[in-house]
Amino acid sequence: MLFLDVDGPLIPFGAPQPHPGAQGPPHLAPADSNPLLARLNPQHGRRLSALPCDLVWATTWMADANEVIGPRLGLPELPVVDWPDPDEDGPLHWKTRGLLDWASGRPFVWVDDEITDADRAWVSRHHPGPALLHRVDPRRGLTDVDFATLGDWLARL
């Protein structure tokens, strides 16, 4: 499975202008209702769907990811990680424990812009299955190199 964050990986913070075609299908609310939506790359949905894994929203957008982000990318409704109240102190990301609980020992990829070495070390000590914690540059979002890395790792499973 692939846990997918929205802000940073799909909505890059450094995008200087709207992505071509970012408005999405005409039945959707215009991206100017949230100007960050114009930064979505509409090709990401096709590329994510082509990966040999189940996609899961792992974002603070929660169910809104299915209502707002997914349709703009052409993604079907995806499962959504339900976050407990964050009580994490220290270097570990507040999502890390919840994602391991959700994975229940199964192999997974986590795509996020806030992953650190502390998360990687903790997952390697506490998760019995294969896991790839892939940090995306939040200024650029998902790139061809990121998709190649994800595809290669998933193909080796």
Side-chain angles (χ1 to χ4, degrees), residues 80-110:
V80 178
V81 176
D82 186 25
W83 303 113
D85 290 331
D87 60 353
E88 198 62 51
D89 274 341
L92 195 62
H93 193 283
W94 61 268
K95 291 180 182 177
T96 306
R97 292 178 197 270
L99 294 179
L100 259 63
D101 288 345
W102 184 283
S104 299
R106 295 172 289 183
F108 73 89
V109 176
W110 175 19

Side-chain angles (χ1 to χ4, degrees), residues 22-141:
Q23 292 298 319
H27 68 279
L28 297 175
D32 58 6
S33 62
N34 180 337
L36 295 179
L37 296 176
R39 297 178 181 188
L40 288 168
N41 179 339
Q43 296 303 311
H44 283 349
R46 177 187 53 77
R47 295 183 80 179
L48 287 164
S49 294
L51 293 171
C53 62
D54 295 326
L55 301 174
V56 177
W57 292 120
T59 174
T60 56
W61 282 73
M62 304 284 294
D64 288 343
N66 276 321
E67 295 173 22
V68 178
I69 305 298
R72 284 181 164 72
L73 299 179
L75 292 173
E77 187 165 319
L78 303 176
V80 178
V81 176
D82 186 25
W83 303 113
D85 290 331
D87 60 353
E88 198 62 51
D89 274 341
L92 195 62
H93 193 283
W94 61 268
K95 291 180 182 177
T96 306
R97 292 178 197 270
L99 294 179
L100 259 63
D101 288 345
W102 184 283
S104 299
R106 295 172 289 183
F108 73 89
V109 176
W110 175 19
V111 176
D112 205 305
D113 61 309
E114 297 180 347
I115 296 169
T116 66
D117 288 338
D119 300 303
R120 288 185 182 95
W122 196 86
V123 168
S124 73
R125 286 192 312 271
H126 294 92
H127 184 66
L132 172 64
L133 279 64
H134 184 74
R135 186 180 184 282
V136 172
D137 183 341
R139 295 167 298 169
R140 293 183 184 85

